[in-house]
Amino acid sequence: MLPVKRSCGDHEVVCNSWGRTSSEASEVVILERCWIVEFRSKPDVSIVLKFQSGEPDLYLEAASKTDCESWAVALGEANSEGLQNKIQQLRRLIMEIKEERSSDEARKFLPSSQVDSLGEPQFTSIQRIANEPKLEFSLACKDLVAATRDRKLNTFIQVSVVHPAEHILTRYSSTEIVEGTKDPLFLTGVTFPPEYPIYEETKIKLTVYDVKDKSQDTVRTSVLPDHKEPRADIGRSFLGCTTFRVADLVKSKEQQLTLTLRTSDGGKTVGTIEVNLVKMGELEDGETDHVTTDAQDQKCALVHECTATEGISGKDSLPSLSAVLKNPICKLYRFPTSDNKWMRIREQMAETTLSFHVPKELINLHIKEDMRRNQELKDLGELAPHWDNMRKSVIAHCDQMLSMYQDTLAELGKHTGSSFKSSCSKGEKTLEFIPINLHLQRMHVHSPRLKDALYDVITVGAPAAHFQGFKNGGLRKLLSKFEAERRNTGYQCIYYSPENTAKAKEVLSNINHLQPLISSHADLLLSSASQHSPDSLKNSLKMLSEKTELFVHAFKDQLVRSALLALYTARPGCVLKKPAMPRNSAEEGSDLQHQDHPSQIKRQDSIPHHSEYDEEEWDRVWANVGKSLNCVIAMVDRLLEKDNVSSTKEGENDPSAADCKVFHTGGDWYEQLYPLVITLKDCMEEVVTRAKQSMAFVLLQELACGLPQCLMLTLRRDIVFSQALAGLVCGFIIKLHAGLHDQGFLQQLHTVGLLVQYEGLLSTYSEEAGMLEDMAVGISDLQKVMFKVIEAKSEDFLPIITGRREHYVIEVQLPAKMFELLPQEIKEGKLLRMYPVLFNVGINEQQTLAERFGDTTLQENINQENLELLKEYYKLFTEKMPPDCLPHFQEQNDLKGLLENLHQNIQAKKRKNVEIMWLAATICRKLNGVRFTCCKSAKDRTSMSVTLEQCSILRDEHQLHKDFFIRALDCMRREGCRIENVLKNVKCRKYAFNMIQLMAFPKYYRPPEGTYGKADT
């Protein structure tokens, strides 16, 4: 209310200035339902108020123009309706300020303990199918009002949730931008996954924005502080909003709501929103033009978002896959086919616990292996001063490396939280064993008249030692250079070729593996004898014989003999004599086979022979194991004979038994066998002692010749291999689960092995060339990995890793029901081989520099080498497998023709020949292989490649409508899982490209406008 003074004559009112009380008001006027009409043009400054009730106009005169303007504002707001609108606006702003989580954070749902604490059981749950999303709906607007008549609207909807217990507004998701229409049909849906705390009482707020410039729409491409709403002047303006209860939607008869959009003050209507409930299990079979008529002018197809881990994998595999896959993100698209039907595509991306599990298991094995090696070096016994000093130096360096591995394992043990390593962390020392941005990318296609199909790609940053750096290149170059330098070192140590050092490690591994087994089987044999159990005795003898024969065979290699001689001459007090040329170079040791290196011959000859050394002693020691086993076998045969035959006569008929000097068979079986078993163990122990020392001496030479480079290269190789193996284990487990009901695939798996094809997108310029060199060696090392499938004995389904460097066995655990589906060969523990191949084609601007001013030989050599490996696998496959076990693709191209086409493209040396990657990927899928796609961080270039591959498959195998290929591609890149991957890594929804870079990219590897640019990471 405003005090005024009115004159009765001309109805003019003279009002006191604000804050002055020189005269009192003559009456009080209630300023309701009135408005300012005009300013009167008089020397004195006045305004006119008119009343809806028809009362006489009120003329107000002010002392100055400034006072008059302030009065006009105050009078305009001094009514209950204006105050109510202002209160509503303030309430809306308060809700906006209380937003605590952005759309990406909304996926991190409340833990169950916190959910319970909110008292949520009092709310009404939404009925749904198990493992299906709780709620899904699609959106469309009609009759939107633009701020200016001549402007075309570019709109999107932001979806927020108000939890009934907290009354806090949480931004959840957004639709895509639809351009140039007042009636946008949004082709991006909204999905609330099973874990999300949403109830019938939950309110959902829909806010419509008009985007002025899509390329500047940072609202949808960046993560804002929780309490801030983006300013309108950075690319969008507010149009209107509305709110509805979930119960109103799910209980509506037509499962549809039509809501009115209003401005922020709640006064003006700016259009309507249609909310349609969507059920994912229902696939529309109608014509596409019956579903939507104006979608032809829009740039995406239907997308829904969900996080159902097992929507496509089946219930049986839920426990074991849940142990491997974490934090899944899903999208659902609907695209038209060439015959105007809808097909539905579910795109899933999930990180994996194997990113940390596999490296930790590997590092633990490295520590045990290195501790064992250090102890074996110490157990070499007394050495001459030169060799003893060398041993001390090697052990000191090895202890330092061992300490580093232990520190790394301890740091990884402290890690909690996310199951993946982001691209921003690629250079962190404590995480250097962890693969970069490792994810499963899966596409499940359900299309009319075609069988459902799964397409998996493992995306991961190129396995490389980023913390170590690439100043001197990668492993491929470093290993070659190191080996050349080792050949040319002086006479301080003895040169053994890489093959021989690998053989020495293999012998030591066999000793450590077989000796306890033989001892165990020998004890079982004695136990069976004490029980007088013939069947048990036969079985125990069979196992003992098999393991002992393997043990004896392990020492047939000439390397052991030559290493024993070298070790003998390294003992203190040994009289060294210059040896004569060996009588038979083939017997002198495998090092002499390198006759093309004179320095090698000299250094091998410098290993002295001693006149007192008996070269045949090793043969006698080694042969005693076999003789002792024969004695045991002969005695068991005697004990099992039904007829009592004189032991003397039996000894005459059996030479091996005669060696045993046993002349009676009566009495207790245990007493008969015990001395023979003890003799076998003693003979074996003597062999083990000598062989261990000789092989440890070989490893001493390897380490001493290259300190400290040798250990640093081992570290680098371990780092790269760890990253590569984590991805491989993930790929194998996913492939095994997907193919459990495919008998052809399972037969191929144990008969031939599994093809693993890596697609590289690295350039051959600057640091990325070093990354490619690391990656090539790491992938090649995977050939030494074997898989074994076992039945899980507990609820822990994580894989078990055993073995040593250059020979690992990965034991994959399956629940009993799934294990029973496997062929007998796999169930019996047959080791499954891997055949990794790598094809690389650089596509960025750095590759342009390499092609024009640098060198692409590295890429050409890698592609050529791996083509030969792929041909070998195909040859093996055709020899062992029937052709009808292959997947039946719609695009039936002959595999032999595809291989020839790939060969021609590699030979062509065409710039940025991406057809090499397409052909290699197609061949891999046709051969039931596992697909990998890698770039530096598996974020940007990888996203372009994966989305292109998915759309190409939809076109070639599922009849995607040709007019929708580019639209589908843009949709997956703008709204799909890969843009979420970018957000996870750099907290920004923008691919890290700029316009200049993209000019160098092949056409189909360029993202849509507005999805790329500088990202603040």
Side-chain angles (χ1 to χ4, degrees):
M1 292 184 292
L2 179 70
V4 297
K5 184 179 287 185
R6 188 195 298 268
S7 68
C8 297
D10 57 4
H11 298 284
E12 289 186 356
V13 176
V14 178
C15 180
N16 295 330
S17 300
W18 294 106
R20 295 177 60 185
T21 57
S22 58
S23 60
E24 296 182 358
S26 60
E27 62 179 292
V28 174
V29 179
I30 298 176
L31 300 176
E32 282 292 328
R33 297 181 182 86
C34 62
W35 65 95
I36 300 171
V37 175
E38 60 179 284
F39 287 85
R40 298 189 61 183
S41 55
K42 295 176 59 176
D44 52 344
V45 186
S46 306
I47 51 178
V48 180
L49 296 180
K50 288 185 176 292
F51 296 87
Q52 292 181 3
S53 60
E55 294 182 16
D57 294 348
L58 181 63
Y59 296 90
L60 300 177
E61 183 175 305
S64 67
K65 186 174 181 180
T66 302
D67 281 352
C68 186
E69 290 174 350
S70 64
W71 275 43
V73 173
L75 292 171
E77 296 178 348
N79 60 78
S80 61
E81 184 177 4
L83 288 173
Q84 286 175 357
N85 289 339
K86 193 165 186 178
I87 289 170
Q88 286 184 4
Q89 185 176 5
L90 287 172
R91 282 175 176 169
R92 183 186 68 82
L93 291 173
I94 289 171
M95 293 292 284
E96 296 289 346
I97 290 171
K98 284 185 176 181
E99 289 193 24
E100 290 189 347
R101 287 158 286 197
S102 57
S103 57
D104 66 308
E105 293 170 317
R107 296 189 184 87
K108 300 176 182 176
F109 312 125
L110 297 172
S112 55
S113 59
Q114 188 176 348
V115 170
D116 295 339
S117 67
L118 294 174
E120 291 182 352
Q122 64 183 319
F123 302 122
T124 308
S125 299
I126 301 172
Q127 293 183 355
R128 61 181 181 85
I129 302 172
N131 296 323
E132 288 294 313
K134 284 187 177 179
L135 178 68
E136 293 180 297
F137 56 84
S138 58
L139 299 167
C141 293
K142 287 188 176 180
D143 303 320
L144 294 179
V145 178
T148 56
R149 292 182 180 179
D150 58 344
R151 169 165 172 73
K152 289 186 177 181
L153 292 171
N154 302 322
T155 52
F156 76 93
I157 298 177
Q158 181 174 289
V159 182
S160 303
V161 179
V162 182
H163 194 279
E166 295 177 304
H167 301 291
I168 293 176
L169 195 69
T170 302
R171 267 181 289 164
Y172 183 73
S173 65
S174 299
T175 68
E176 84 281 9
I177 300 170
V178 178
E179 302 179 51
T181 175
K182 66 177 183 178
D183 301 319
L185 176 65
F186 294 100
L187 301 171
T188 307
V190 181
T191 301
F192 293 91
E195 299 88 349
Y196 197 88
I198 189 169
Y199 302 89
E200 289 188 2
E201 292 81 4
T202 302
K203 290 184 179 180
I204 295 177
K205 179 183 177 183
L206 306 174
T207 308
V208 182
Y209 291 97
D210 176 23
V211 178
K212 299 174 183 177
D213 183 355
K214 189 164 61 176
S215 64
Q216 298 298 320
D217 177 32
T218 57
V219 173
R220 303 176 67 252
T221 58
S222 61
V223 178
L224 299 168
D226 294 337
H227 62 283
K228 291 189 178 180
E229 180 69 14
R231 304 190 315 272
D233 60 355
I234 63 172
R236 73 173 187 178
S237 59
F238 173 86
L239 284 184
C241 62
T242 187
T243 304
F244 69 92
R245 289 174 69 248
V246 170
D248 297 337
L249 177 61
V250 297
K251 293 182 178 179
S252 62
K253 290 183 178 180
E254 298 181 355
Q255 297 187 328
Q256 175 181 319
L257 296 177
T258 301
L259 307 170
T260 301
L261 277 173
R262 296 186 180 276
T263 54
S264 58
D265 59 8
K268 186 178 179 182
T269 300
V270 293
T272 60
I273 288 186
E274 288 186 359
V275 184
N276 290 280
L277 191 67
V278 174
K279 293 186 177 179
M280 286 172 46
E282 298 176 359
L283 179 67
E284 301 96 337
D285 292 324
E287 301 292 326
T288 56
D289 55 355
H290 292 172
V291 180
T292 174
T293 54
D294 56 352
Q296 299 293 327
D297 296 327
Q298 301 177 17
K299 295 189 176 180
C300 290
L302 183 63
V303 183
H304 294 289
E305 208 177 287
C306 70
T307 59
T309 311
E310 289 305 318
I312 49 184
S313 298
K315 296 179 181 179
D316 290 341
S317 61
L318 179 61
S320 52
L321 267 188
S322 296
V324 173
L325 298 179
K326 297 293 180 184
N327 299 328
I329 297 172
C330 293
K331 307 284 182 173
L332 187 70
Y333 309 93
R334 183 177 63 181
F335 297 140
T337 61
S338 54
D339 57 353
N340 291 324
K341 300 288 184 182
W342 284 118
M343 63 173 161
R344 181 161 289 174
I345 299 95
R346 183 189 298 276
E347 184 188 29
Q348 174 179 328
M349 181 185 71
E351 62 194 56
T352 172
T353 55
L354 300 174
S355 289
F356 282 82
H357 173 74
V358 170
K360 287 195 287 188
E361 289 286 299
L362 265 184
I363 296 172
N364 193 37
L365 287 177
H366 293 332
I367 291 172
K368 291 179 180 178
E369 180 182 348
D370 292 350
M371 291 177 70
R372 208 163 39 236
R373 179 198 58 199
N374 289 2
Q375 188 59 46
E376 287 163 355
L377 291 176
K378 294 173 183 177
D379 291 343
L380 272 174
E382 194 175 359
L383 297 175
H386 166 73
W387 300 105
D388 193 47
N389 291 334
M390 180 187 295
R391 174 171 57 177
K392 290 177 181 177
S393 175
V394 167
I395 290 176
H397 280 86
C398 289
D399 283 342
Q400 289 179 6
M401 295 301 293
L402 183 61
S403 176
M404 191 279 296
Y405 281 97
Q406 291 170 333
D407 292 344
T408 300
L409 184 61
E411 288 298 320
L412 291 179
K414 299 175 185 176
H415 178 84
T416 57
S418 178
S419 300
F420 89 112
K421 169 182 165 183
S422 72
S423 62
C424 299
S425 304
K426 69 170 70 73
E428 289 188 20
K429 178 173 176 53
T430 56
L431 299 177
E432 58 185 345
F433 284 83
I434 310 300
I436 302 166
N437 195 17
L438 173 60
H439 284 81
L440 164 68
Q441 177 82 16
R442 166 170 282 182
M443 182 174 70
H444 177 216
V445 184
H446 182 98
S447 53
R449 296 183 299 278
L450 291 176
K451 187 178 179 181
D452 280 20
L454 284 179
Y455 302 94
D456 292 339
V457 179
I458 306 298
T459 61
V460 63
H466 289 273
F467 179 78
Q468 309 292 326
F470 308 97
K471 182 178 180 181
N472 298 312
L475 277 172
R476 190 176 168 106
K477 180 187 293 182
L478 292 173
L479 287 171
S480 176
K481 182 180 178 183
F482 174 73
E483 189 57 32
E485 290 176 349
R486 251 192 3 124
R487 286 197 186 101
N488 297 320
T489 53
Y491 292 89
Q492 302 94 336
C493 57
I494 305 167
Y495 174 79
Y496 287 96
S497 68
E499 294 77 17
N500 280 329
T501 54
K503 182 64 179 177
K505 293 173 185 177
E506 183 182 350
V507 170
L508 286 169
S509 176
N510 288 334
I511 292 172
N512 294 324
H513 174 66
L514 291 173
Q515 185 184 14
L517 286 178
I518 294 172
S519 181
S520 174
H521 288 307
D523 292 340
L524 286 174
L525 183 72
L526 291 176
S527 176
S528 301
S530 66
Q531 297 171 7
H532 276 69
S533 172
D535 291 337
S536 178
L537 194 65
K538 289 178 183 178
N539 292 332
S540 298
L541 179 63
K542 180 183 177 183
M543 297 302 296
L544 177 63
S545 299
E546 289 177 357
K547 299 303 179 185
T548 306
E549 287 172 8
L550 289 174
F551 180 82
V552 172
H553 181 75
F555 303 112
K556 281 186 177 179
D557 196 280
Q558 187 67 27
L559 176 64
V560 180
R561 182 194 297 268
S562 63
L564 279 169
L565 171 61
L567 176 60
Y568 180 83
T569 57
R571 298 296 185 192
C574 178
V575 180
L576 305 182
K577 297 181 180 180
K578 181 72 176 179
M581 286 297 291
R583 294 186 299 272
N584 185 348
S585 62
E587 297 177 0
E588 185 54 36
S590 52
D591 294 308
L592 290 179
Q593 61 187 305
H594 302 280
Q595 297 293 339
D596 53 336
H597 295 285
S599 61
Q600 287 180 231
I601 298 174
K602 278 187 178 182
R603 290 168 55 201
Q604 183 64 49
D605 285 346
S606 68
I607 300 175
H609 292 229
H610 194 272
S611 58
E612 297 179 0
Y613 179 70
D614 185 356
E615 295 187 16
E616 295 181 358
E617 183 183 5
W618 166 247
D619 292 336
R620 289 193 295 271
V621 172
W622 173 62
N624 282 342
V625 177
K627 290 180 179 181
S628 299
L629 176 65
N630 288 337
C631 291
V632 173
I633 294 172
M635 177 56 69
V636 171
D637 289 342
R638 282 205 186 95
L639 294 174
L640 294 175
E641 285 180 354
K642 293 181 180 179
D643 300 325
N644 290 327
V645 181
S646 128
S647 58
T648 306
K649 183 177 179 181
E650 191 66 24
E652 294 173 353
N653 295 334
D654 190 335
S656 62
D659 289 337
C660 300
K661 309 293 185 193
V662 177
F663 299 100
H664 60 87
T665 59
D668 186 67
W669 285 8
Y670 181 87
E671 292 177 358
Q672 300 278 349
L673 281 173
Y674 181 77
L676 302 180
V677 170
I678 293 300
T679 301
L680 173 63
K681 286 185 175 181
D682 290 342
C683 293
M684 186 177 64
E685 186 65 35
E686 186 174 2
V687 169
V688 165
T689 301
R690 295 190 181 215
K692 268 191 171 183
Q693 288 184 343
S694 66
M695 295 299 95
F697 190 72
V698 173
L699 298 185
L700 175 63
Q701 310 310 308
E702 179 200 28
L703 294 167
C705 285
L707 284 178
Q709 296 91 333
C710 178
L711 292 176
M712 292 307 297
L713 279 177
T714 300
L715 171 63
R716 189 183 190 101
R717 200 165 188 170
D718 286 346
I719 290 168
V720 174
F721 179 76
S722 171
Q723 297 177 25
L725 183 64
L728 176 64
V729 175
C730 177
F732 178 87
I733 292 175
I734 298 302
K735 185 68 178 178
L736 181 63
H737 280 75
L740 273 175
H741 298 279
D742 184 347
Q743 293 304 312
F745 164 72
L746 295 175
Q747 182 185 353
Q748 176 187 351
L749 186 59
H750 72 78
T751 305
V752 185
L754 185 64
L755 177 66
V756 186
Q757 185 254 324
Y758 289 79
E759 173 185 305
L761 299 163
L762 295 171
S763 70
T764 54
Y765 185 82
S766 189
E767 285 194 345
E768 287 199 6
M771 296 176 204
L772 181 56
E773 289 176 346
D774 274 358
M775 182 182 181
V777 173
I779 291 173
S780 177
D781 284 347
L782 295 176
Q783 296 177 53
K784 300 161 187 173
V785 176
M786 308 285 273
F787 280 81
K788 181 180 179 181
V789 184
I790 61 174
E791 183 178 351
K793 303 301 181 184
S794 67
E795 295 301 312
D796 182 6
F797 297 103
L798 289 173
I800 301 166
I801 305 177
T802 59
R804 58 176 178 82
R805 290 181 180 91
E806 302 178 358
H807 183 74
Y808 289 102
V809 176
I810 316 297
E811 296 182 352
V812 176
Q813 303 186 81
L814 289 183
K817 288 184 179 179
M818 298 173 66
F819 187 75
E820 287 303 315
L821 299 173
L822 298 173
Q824 193 62 32
E825 292 87 347
I826 297 180
K827 287 196 284 188
E828 289 175 355
K830 184 173 182 180
L831 295 180
L832 310 175
R833 288 199 60 187
M834 300 294 108
Y835 292 85
V837 293
L838 165 65
F839 294 95
N840 187 85
V841 177
I843 62 171
N844 65 358
E845 77 288 352
Q846 288 191 328
Q847 186 62 22
T848 303
L849 295 174
E851 289 170 341
R852 296 187 178 180
F853 310 110
D855 185 11
T856 60
T857 306
L858 173 63
Q859 176 175 286
E860 293 165 5
N861 291 341
I862 288 174
N863 290 344
Q864 185 60 48
E865 291 166 9
N866 285 272
L867 174 63
E868 297 306 317
L869 294 175
L870 183 57
K871 287 180 177 179
E872 287 178 17
Y873 180 83
Y874 174 69
K875 181 182 178 182
L876 190 63
F877 178 89
T878 54
E879 290 173 352
K880 295 188 176 183
M881 293 294 297
D884 57 358
C885 74
L886 290 174
H888 296 284
F889 286 93
Q890 294 295 309
E891 187 72 19
Q892 288 294 342
N893 287 324
D894 179 61
L895 268 170
K896 192 173 182 180
L898 288 171
L899 280 167
E900 182 58 33
N901 196 358
L902 178 60
H903 174 78
Q904 291 174 0
N905 275 277
I906 290 174
Q907 294 296 320
K909 298 182 181 180
K910 177 183 173 183
R911 290 180 180 176
K912 294 184 182 176
N913 189 1
V914 293
E915 192 168 353
I916 290 174
M917 297 189 295
W918 301 344
L919 288 166
T922 302
I923 292 169
C924 174
R925 294 199 185 281
K926 288 181 179 292
L927 285 171
N928 284 318
V930 179
R931 283 272 300 110
F932 281 77
T933 299
C934 311
C935 62
K936 182 166 68 173
S937 60
K939 177 171 59 71
D940 304 303
R941 282 170 281 178
T942 294
S943 295
M944 298 302 103
S945 178
V946 165
T947 49
L948 176 59
E949 181 176 355
Q950 290 180 167
C951 288
S952 298
I953 290 171
L954 295 178
R955 176 194 62 199
D956 299 337
E957 307 295 339
H958 300 276
Q959 289 84 50
L960 172 66
H961 196 290
K962 63 179 182 180
D963 293 339
F964 273 76
F965 180 80
I966 297 298
R967 298 179 187 183
L969 191 60
D970 286 354
C971 185
M972 286 184 174
R973 289 172 176 174
R974 187 185 297 277
E975 309 295 340
C977 291
R978 298 314 301 183
I979 199 71
E980 302 292 341
N981 181 269
V982 174
L983 182 65
K984 284 179 69 172
N985 278 275
V986 297
K987 307 301 180 187
C988 176
R989 277 192 179 89
K990 279 193 176 183
Y991 300 110
F993 304 129
N994 58 48
M995 187 68 73
I996 303 299
Q997 287 177 312
L998 291 178
M999 290 173 64
F1001 275 52
K1003 177 182 177 182
Y1004 290 112
Y1005 289 82
R1006 300 170 186 171
E1009 181 186 359
T1011 62
Y1012 60 89
K1014 188 177 190 293
D1016 295 327
T1017 61

